[in-house]
């Protein structure tokens, strides 16, 4: 029985330091995170739970990863000169691996984030009429260049440049079909974790 060689993905895996450097250079971001709250908008408890669920079990490594994520989030939230748009699905607001207190803290933090004028956060209904892909982020840098990073549990993959128009069109269609986060959170007010 012959086995065909697995084709190599035309993408590059980025380490956490490269991701941080990219975040510091970026002028804007359009990110889609269908399964979880986007990293820069996570509380420490939420980030710890997500990273633990992805298999980060060493306490020192876990705390280092949480601190890196908090650093990236701080940069995005304080970078008032550049627009950032985040899109998540309604199912990302339902976090069964967190307790009621952590869910409440995460939702309160999201309410604070949407008060920032440079952040726009929208939520796609669970049963969206538009089919969607996995997580990705379109980073546009001050120099004018842009890249598409496809999010994975272990890092980011950089998509080929020729895929940029397709990702941009996909993001714009999904963003247009979504509702403002504040409206969705108001509808979920008092429902607790689901």
């Amino acid at each position: 029985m012959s086995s065909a060689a697995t084709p190599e993905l035309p993408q590059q895996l980025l380490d956490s330091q490269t991701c941080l450097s990219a975040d510091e250079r970026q002028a804007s971001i359009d990110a889609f995170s269908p399964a979880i709250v986007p990293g820069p908008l996570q509380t420490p408890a939420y980030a710890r739970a997500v990273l633990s669920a992805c298999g980060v079990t060493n306490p020192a490594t876990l705390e280092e990863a949480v601190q890196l994520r908090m650093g990236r989030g701080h940069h995005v939230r304080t970078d008032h000169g550049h627009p950032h748009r985040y899109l998540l699905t309604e199912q990302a607001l339902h976090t069964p691996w967190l307790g009621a207190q952590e869910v409440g803290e995460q939702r309160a933090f999201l309410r604070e984030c949407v008060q920032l004028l440079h952040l726009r956060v929208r939520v796609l209904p669970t049963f969206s009429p538009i089919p969607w892909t996995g997580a990705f982020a379109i980073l546009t840098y001050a120099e004018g260049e842009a890249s598409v990073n496809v999010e994975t549990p272990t890092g980011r993959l950089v998509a080929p440049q020729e895929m940029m128009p397709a990702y941009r069109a996909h993001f714009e269609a999904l963003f247009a079909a979504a509702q403002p986060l504040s409206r969705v959170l108001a509808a979920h007010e008092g429902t607790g974790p689901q």
Side-chain angles (χ1 to χ4, degrees), residues 46-131:
Y46 188 99
R48 200 170 285 110
V50 168
L51 291 163
S52 295
C54 288
V56 181
T57 56
N58 179 291
T61 304
L62 178 61
E63 285 313 305
E64 182 181 335
V66 169
Q67 291 312 309
L68 177 66
R69 188 162 291 190
M70 294 304 101
R72 289 178 58 206
H74 177 74
H75 172 75
V76 166
R77 292 188 306 276
T78 57
D79 185 22
H80 299 291
H82 302 116
H84 299 285
R85 296 187 300 172
Y86 290 96
L87 176 64
L88 55 147
T89 65
E90 199 167 7
Q91 74 187 50
L93 296 174
H94 304 297
T95 49
W97 61 84
L98 288 178
Q101 179 177 339
E102 289 87 0
V103 169
E105 290 170 359
Q106 180 61 61
R107 290 183 182 181
F109 185 63
L110 287 171
R111 282 188 200 88
E112 290 175 25
C113 289
V114 297
Q115 299 304 311
L116 301 171
L117 296 179
H118 70 291
L119 285 182
R120 292 182 57 205
V121 184
R122 295 181 69 93
V123 180
L124 197 63
T126 300
F127 301 104
S128 168
I130 302 173

Side-chain angles (χ1 to χ4, degrees), residues 13 20 34-36 64 77 87 100 110 116 138 144 146-147 154 156 172-173 176 181 186 190 193:
L13 187 61
L20 190 56
I36 61 173
E64 182 181 335
R77 292 188 306 276
L87 176 64
L110 287 171
L116 301 171
I138 302 169
S147 68
T154 57
R156 295 177 182 175
E172 294 300 339
L181 175 67

Side-chain angles (χ1 to χ4, degrees), residues 104-191:
E105 290 170 359
Q106 180 61 61
R107 290 183 182 181
F109 185 63
L110 287 171
R111 282 188 200 88
E112 290 175 25
C113 289
V114 297
Q115 299 304 311
L116 301 171
L117 296 179
H118 70 291
L119 285 182
R120 292 182 57 205
V121 184
R122 295 181 69 93
V123 180
L124 197 63
T126 300
F127 301 104
S128 168
I130 302 173
W132 39 269
T133 62
F136 66 91
I138 302 169
L139 306 176
T140 304
Y141 303 101
E143 310 88 49
E145 66 178 282
S147 68
V148 177
N149 293 347
V150 180
E151 303 285 342
T152 74
T154 57
R156 295 177 182 175
L157 296 172
V158 180
Q161 206 50 38
E162 59 268 18
M163 295 179 72
M164 177 72 69
Y167 274 103
R168 281 199 189 277
H170 186 57
F171 183 86
E172 294 300 339
L174 293 174
F175 203 76
Q179 296 182 27
L181 175 67
S182 54
R183 185 181 308 160
V184 176
L185 287 176
H188 287 279
E189 198 68 42
T191 61

